[in-house]
Amino acid sequence: MKLSDGVEWATHCCTILGSLPTGVAMPGHRLAEFHEVPPDYLGKQLQSLRKAGIVESTPGRRGGFRLGRPAADISLLDIVTAIEGHEPAFRCTEIRQRGPSAVGRKHYVRPCGIARAMWRAEEKWRAELERVSIADLVAELDATVATEQTEKAIDWLTEVLT
Amino acid sequence: MKLSDGVEWATHCCTILGSLPTGVAMPGHRLAEFHEVPPDYLGKQLQSLRKAGIVESTPGRRGGFRLGRPAADISLLDIVTAIEGHEPAFRCTEIRQRGPSAVGRKHYVRPCGIARAMWRAEEKWRAELERVSIADLVAELDATVATEQTEKAIDWLTEVLT
DNA sequence: GTCCCTATACTCGGATAGCAAGTGTCCGAGTATAGGCGG
DNA sequence: CCGCCTATACTCGGACACTTGCTATCCGAGTATAGGGAC
């Protein structure tokens, strides 16, 4: 079981976008440059975010991406779901309905206990991801990142986004 | 993000093995037959379980698999870990240490907030999986499965394991 | 009848192909901007 | 000097290869059993 690398990239991008002044957009290739990741592939993840309404995009010369709603209203779960899709990690194939002891389908109305347990665990996972928002991550960054790095980031951003 | 199909198969197999009388072994190909899954591929999962100590195997003519310890001491997490490995689903590639705002490595002693949040969520997931044991699943089966199915299963097992 | 030996059939176990999804890349459609031209 | 128009450069967005890891399969090593023969 492995989360796509795109989840990490997308989250970092949202953190950056959440740090920008309201209304300022950042081009996709700049986001890629900032993280040193393949620009085109990152573009793919950004499109997933856009379809989910997490970011908005404006085309044209001074276009780019910005958050689609306040950072406090975007959870980690939103991002993970946008990139990975809605399907649960555990997919019950109902193998209990096969084999020599199978009986009529009407006896299998409830999901089997194994699937229920798995899904319950995933629900806990999702609930925890829902608790943390982009705003939280931005605040955590502001509190912990070295001032040297903050200055370098601001310098680079102001130079690039003008 | 997707869990391997082997997790589902392995869990069902453990449930069956936990339902057998103590000391009785069940061959791998019979477990596959019971669930209608590819026998050789299931064998691979069973070997993973064996390496983790969850099941024991005896070779030879009347050999097979049986649980390696009491069903109450085997958790769903044990099985998932045995099949999927110990690596977390989210793998931080430290992209924060790259790009134009990167600073010296000594500034990155703590894991980044994104990774910590992801790992915290996974911990909740694991904790929930740890709570449910094979014994729980067997008890749940005994309580809910239609008597018709139970009888068919017992008939088949007694016919096959003699 | 009892013990031993041998051949057998069955088991597990690791090594070997096939396939799907994630990963990475390319190029085209569309738009706000910048500059030039006319009024 | 001001407004408009056109060309441009830049953006996003979907369509096309590649690689990794999961899926599936095959065949060999090892062992308890069953049967037969000797005592």
Side-chain angles (χ1 to χ4, degrees):
Chain A
M1 187 179 55
K2 181 180 180 294
L3 250 66
S4 160
D5 291 343
V7 171
E8 183 184 11
W9 303 355
T11 310
H12 277 275
C13 287
C14 287
T15 306
I16 300 296
L17 294 180
S19 305
L20 296 179
T22 312
V24 174
M26 192 162 169
H29 79 94
R30 290 298 184 188
L31 284 167
E33 190 179 349
F34 189 86
H35 296 109
E36 279 184 22
V37 295
D40 291 327
Y41 187 35
L42 178 64
K44 200 168 190 165
Q45 321 297 346
L46 289 171
Q47 285 172 39
S48 296
L49 292 180
R50 183 186 58 83
K51 286 173 185 167
I54 295 173
V55 301
E56 291 174 349
S57 67
T58 56
R61 194 159 194 182
R62 294 181 48 92
F65 292 93
R66 63 183 169 282
L67 292 185
R69 55 177 185 266
D73 295 344
I74 300 173
S75 70
L76 260 184
L77 179 61
D78 292 332
I79 297 175
V80 171
T81 305
I83 303 294
E84 292 281 335
H86 289 76
E87 282 207 46
F90 180 85
R91 291 137 203 210
C92 181
T93 59
E94 290 288 342
I95 62 177
R96 63 175 176 166
Q97 296 192 28
R98 306 208 292 265
S101 76
V103 292
R105 180 162 296 179
K106 66 176 171 14
H107 292 292
Y108 299 106
V109 285
R110 282 186 79 184
C112 84
I114 294 171
R116 288 213 313 278
M118 290 287 188
W119 292 337
R120 202 162 51 233
E122 285 189 42
E123 195 47 50
K124 300 270 182 176
W125 175 71
R126 274 193 292 269
E128 185 66 23
L129 290 182
E130 181 121 50
R131 289 170 57 98
V132 37
S133 71
I134 292 299
D136 296 333
L137 293 175
V138 172
E140 202 263 352
L141 269 185
D142 291 342
T144 61
V145 163
T147 54
E148 179 191 355
Q149 184 173 15
T150 307
E151 288 169 4
K152 288 180 76 170
I154 289 179
D155 287 348
W156 185 83
L157 287 171
T158 50
E159 177 185 0
V160 145
L161 293 181
T162 50
Chain B
M1 186 178 54
K2 179 180 181 297
L3 250 65
S4 159
D5 291 344
V7 171
E8 183 183 13
W9 302 356
T11 309
H12 277 276
C13 286
C14 287
T15 306
I16 298 297
L17 294 181
S19 304
L20 296 179
T22 311
V24 174
M26 191 162 169
H29 80 94
R30 289 299 184 189
L31 284 166
E33 189 179 349
F34 189 85
H35 296 110
E36 281 185 23
V37 296
D40 291 326
Y41 187 35
L42 178 63
K44 194 168 194 166
Q45 322 296 346
L46 290 171
Q47 285 171 39
S48 297
L49 292 179
R50 184 186 57 84
K51 287 173 187 167
I54 295 173
V55 302
E56 290 174 349
S57 66
T58 55
R61 194 160 193 181
R62 294 182 45 94
F65 292 93
R66 63 182 169 283
L67 291 185
R69 54 178 185 266
D73 295 343
I74 301 173
S75 70
L76 260 184
L77 180 61
D78 293 332
I79 298 175
V80 171
T81 305
I83 303 294
E84 291 280 335
H86 289 76
E87 281 209 46
F90 181 85
R91 291 142 202 204
C92 180
T93 59
E94 289 288 343
I95 63 177
R96 62 175 178 168
Q97 295 191 30
R98 306 208 294 265
S101 75
V103 293
R105 181 163 296 180
K106 67 176 181 342
H107 293 292
Y108 299 106
V109 285
R110 283 184 78 183
C112 86
I114 294 171
R116 290 212 312 278
M118 290 287 188
W119 291 337
R120 201 162 53 232
E122 285 188 43
E123 194 47 50
K124 299 271 183 177
W125 175 70
R126 275 193 291 269
E128 185 66 22
L129 289 182
E130 181 120 52
R131 289 170 58 98
V132 37
S133 71
I134 293 298
D136 296 332
L137 293 175
V138 171
E140 201 263 353
L141 269 185
D142 290 342
T144 61
V145 162
T147 53
E148 178 191 354
Q149 184 173 15
T150 307
E151 287 170 4
K152 287 180 76 171
I154 290 178
D155 288 348
W156 185 83
L157 287 170
T158 50
E159 176 185 0
V160 145
L161 294 181
T162 50

